[in-house]
């Protein structure tokens, strides 16, 4: 339960991706490679890409990408702006009122006639132009290796700054790190402040209104985040029912959550940080992982 919670050559001409150059995109993009699948995070989008040694066909899509919940009837639309064989599927779900999870799935034929499946997911937004551009980057093998992080986690790339995290920490996803008894944080790097705020508000609402618990408090506090004075939202969250019993077996009763949007270098970061009441909290009021990026005032 406690575990829950791209070599690149610059072109002379600017290539627009999501209204920016590829270089700007790659400065925000982070990735992991696991189980023959590439995972990415950028601008609040969670992205996955898997190339199979299988022919491009509906049969192979249904057989190999069952985790996407795609049915044969869904495979009836192609994105005509992509000048190669593809199927495109879009889904939306509202697990928490007011937070729409938008998911897009692209199944494309690679240059060697094989099948690649690509997924995009984001809260309360979608951007088909961005998706098309990113799909084409994947098809052209244009994402540099430099965006990928090693799964052997001893340090992490936090919005362009290398942070040592010590032993025992692990990735729970791209830009999502948990250090047992020392906190957890997840973040995304955005081009604009408005986009970062939209993302953090959706995350906050999802945490506050999830089933199985309740917010005991929801306040705003002054902090220093990556060297800048700003404010953070702070929530004390308590679980109930079966979730409560499972947590109490470990001795934990409440989860403290902080959420921050702040400019970092030439971008903006949306970041959610949390720790349990049984974690190793230092005199500054934060566990080891969180104090790497934030100080309470």
């Amino acid at each position: 339960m406690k575990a829950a919670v791209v070599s690149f050559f610059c072109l002379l001409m600017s290539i627009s991706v999501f209204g920016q150059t590829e270089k700007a995109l790659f400065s925000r993009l982070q990735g992991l490679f696991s189980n023959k699948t590439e995972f990415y995070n950028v601008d609040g989008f969670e992205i996955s890409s898997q190339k199979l040694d299988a022919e491009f066909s509906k049969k192979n899509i249904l057989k190999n990408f069952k985790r996407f919940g795609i049915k044969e009837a869904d495979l009836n639309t192609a994105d005509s702006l992509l000048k190669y064989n593809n199927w495109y599927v879009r889904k939306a779900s509202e697990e928490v009122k007011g937070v729409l999870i938008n998911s897009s799935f692209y199944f494309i034929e690679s240059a060697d006639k094989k099948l690649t499946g690509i997924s995009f997911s984001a809260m309360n937004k979608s951007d088909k132009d961005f998706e098309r551009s990113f799909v084409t980057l994947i098809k052209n093998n244009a994402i540099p290796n430099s965006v990928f992080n090693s799964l052997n986690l001893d340090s992490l790339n936090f919005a362009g700054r290398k942070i040592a995290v010590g032993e025992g920490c692990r990735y729970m996803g791209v830009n999502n790190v948990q250090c047992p008894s020392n906190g957890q944080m997840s973040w995304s790097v955005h081009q604009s402040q408005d986009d970062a705020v939209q993302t953090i508000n959706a995350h906050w609402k999802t945490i506050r209104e999830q089933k199985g618990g309740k917010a005991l408090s929801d306040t705003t506090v002054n902090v220093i985040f990556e060297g800048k004075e700003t404010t953070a939202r702070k929530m004390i969250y308590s679980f109930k029912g079966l979730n409560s019993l499972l947590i109490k077996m470990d001795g934990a009763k409440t989860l403290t959550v902080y959420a921050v949007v702040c400019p970092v270098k030439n971008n903006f970061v949306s970041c959610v940080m949390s720790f349990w009441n049984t974690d190793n909290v230092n005199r500054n009021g934060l566990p080891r992982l969180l104090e790497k990026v934030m100080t309470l005032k």
Side-chain angles (χ1 to χ4, degrees):
M1 183 65 185
K2 295 180 71 173
V5 220
V6 139
S7 158
F8 172 71
F9 293 93
C10 293
L11 302 179
L12 294 178
M13 296 181 65
S14 176
I15 302 174
S16 178
V17 178
F18 195 26
Q20 318 122 57
T21 64
E22 288 179 0
K23 184 177 180 180
L25 173 67
F26 297 155
S27 74
R28 304 191 306 279
L29 181 66
Q30 289 289 291
L32 293 172
F33 181 75
S34 179
N35 297 321
K36 299 180 180 180
T37 303
E38 298 170 357
F39 299 92
Y40 303 94
N41 181 290
V42 65
D43 297 330
F45 286 92
E46 298 285 347
I47 308 167
S48 73
S49 172
Q50 184 178 13
K51 181 179 179 179
L52 302 179
D53 186 19
E55 181 184 57
F56 175 80
S57 68
K58 289 185 178 182
K59 178 181 178 180
N60 282 328
I61 292 171
L62 297 173
K63 176 183 177 181
N64 294 284
F65 293 99
K66 293 180 180 179
R67 64 186 183 277
F68 292 159
I70 302 296
K71 300 178 180 179
E72 187 169 4
D74 297 324
L75 299 174
N76 57 13
T77 302
D79 189 331
S80 62
L81 295 184
L82 295 176
K83 303 306 179 181
Y84 37 85
N85 290 333
N86 73 90
W87 294 108
Y88 166 73
V89 180
R90 184 181 183 277
K91 294 178 178 289
S93 62
E94 190 179 46
E95 298 180 8
V96 170
K97 187 176 180 180
V99 180
L100 195 65
I101 309 298
N102 293 303
S103 301
S104 298
F105 306 93
Y106 293 79
F107 303 98
I108 66 171
E109 185 177 43
S110 60
D112 56 359
K113 308 300 181 182
K114 301 299 184 180
L115 170 64
T116 300
I118 305 165
S119 70
F120 297 84
S121 179
M123 295 185 292
N124 284 349
K125 70 174 184 176
S126 61
D127 190 317
K128 203 166 183 180
D129 288 337
F130 165 73
E131 293 172 1
R132 290 190 189 102
S133 298
F134 204 91
V135 167
T136 300
L137 287 172
I138 290 173
K139 183 180 185 297
N140 294 339
N141 295 314
I143 298 178
N145 291 327
S146 58
V147 308
F148 290 95
N149 298 289
S150 171
L151 291 173
N152 297 318
L153 182 59
D154 58 358
S155 64
L156 57 87
N157 181 339
F158 186 82
R161 183 170 72 91
K162 185 176 181 179
I163 297 175
V165 295
E167 297 180 355
C169 300
R170 57 182 176 175
Y171 282 109
M172 308 304 293
V174 183
N175 292 358
N176 187 339
V177 173
Q178 180 195 59
C179 298
S181 300
N182 289 293
Q184 181 170 352
M185 65 182 188
S186 63
W187 68 96
S188 194
V189 185
H190 307 253
Q191 183 195 24
S192 74
Q193 183 175 18
D194 287 347
D195 188 51
V197 170
Q198 181 273 327
T199 296
I200 208 72
N201 286 343
H203 273 294
W204 195 258
K205 190 175 181 67
T206 299
I207 296 168
R208 183 180 174 88
E209 299 187 14
Q210 66 180 313
K211 297 178 181 179
K214 65 177 180 179
L216 301 180
S217 64
D218 187 342
T219 58
T220 300
V221 296
N222 295 319
V223 302
I224 298 175
F225 185 85
E226 286 293 272
K228 296 180 177 63
E229 293 190 7
T230 187
T231 59
R233 292 191 69 171
K234 177 184 179 181
M235 183 194 309
I236 307 296
Y237 192 89
S238 176
F239 293 84
K240 61 184 179 182
L242 178 61
N243 288 334
S244 176
L245 292 175
L246 292 173
I247 292 170
K248 287 180 179 178
M249 289 176 63
D250 191 58
K253 296 181 180 180
T254 61
L255 184 72
T256 299
V257 187
Y258 290 91
V260 177
V261 169
C262 191
V264 176
K265 297 184 182 298
N266 296 320
N267 299 305
F268 293 87
V269 172
S270 61
C271 185
V272 176
M273 300 157 282
S274 63
F275 62 91
W276 298 90
N277 66 289
T278 54
D279 284 352
N280 299 320
V281 180
N282 296 319
R283 290 183 61 190
N284 59 16
L286 298 172
R288 187 183 68 203
L289 180 60
L290 275 63
E291 69 180 5
K292 298 284 185 178
V293 299
M294 187 174 75
T295 302
L296 301 177
K297 295 189 67 179

